[in-house]
Amino acid sequence: MRYLAIMLLAPWLVVLGWAYWAYPKSLLTNMTRRGFDVLALLAATVAAIQAAVLAFDAVELPAADQFGPKSGAIWQQVVPALYGYGAFLAVLVVALVIRQVVWKRRAP
């Protein structure tokens, strides 16, 4: 159950990773940039997994009372998904800015 949130979020993260890889077409494409892109995607994936695991451990489940457990247990999956998504996007946004500055086409 620890990785359920990130597994459910994985298809959307793959789509975001593909969009990062494919666009924008106006930037210079060379081996250095592709290497940077691979490292950025790996860093984003690791950050998402780490954030999700830390969030899963940080969520406190409500105690069961006389009527049974409360419905708050769903937050043990929702919060890790949000943290993982946020970490993935944060790393990609930083990489997008760096990529734009370094590999922007220069005017002739």
Side-chain angles (χ1 to χ4, degrees), residues 5-58:
I6 205 72
M7 285 175 27
L8 293 174
L9 191 61
W12 176 239
L13 297 181
V14 168
V15 169
L16 288 176
W18 170 81
Y20 170 81
W21 183 268
Y23 296 103
K25 302 274 187 195
S26 62
L27 296 177
L28 293 173
T29 303
N30 55 25
M31 291 301 290
T32 308
R33 179 182 152 209
R34 286 303 178 195
F36 176 79
D37 290 345
V38 167
L39 288 176
L41 289 169
L42 285 174
T45 303
V46 169
I49 292 170
Q50 287 298 321
V53 168
L54 289 173
F56 182 86
D57 293 337

Side-chain angles (χ1 to χ4, degrees), residues 60-66 68-71:
E60 292 185 25
L61 295 177
D65 59 7
Q66 64 192 20
K70 297 188 187 301
S71 64

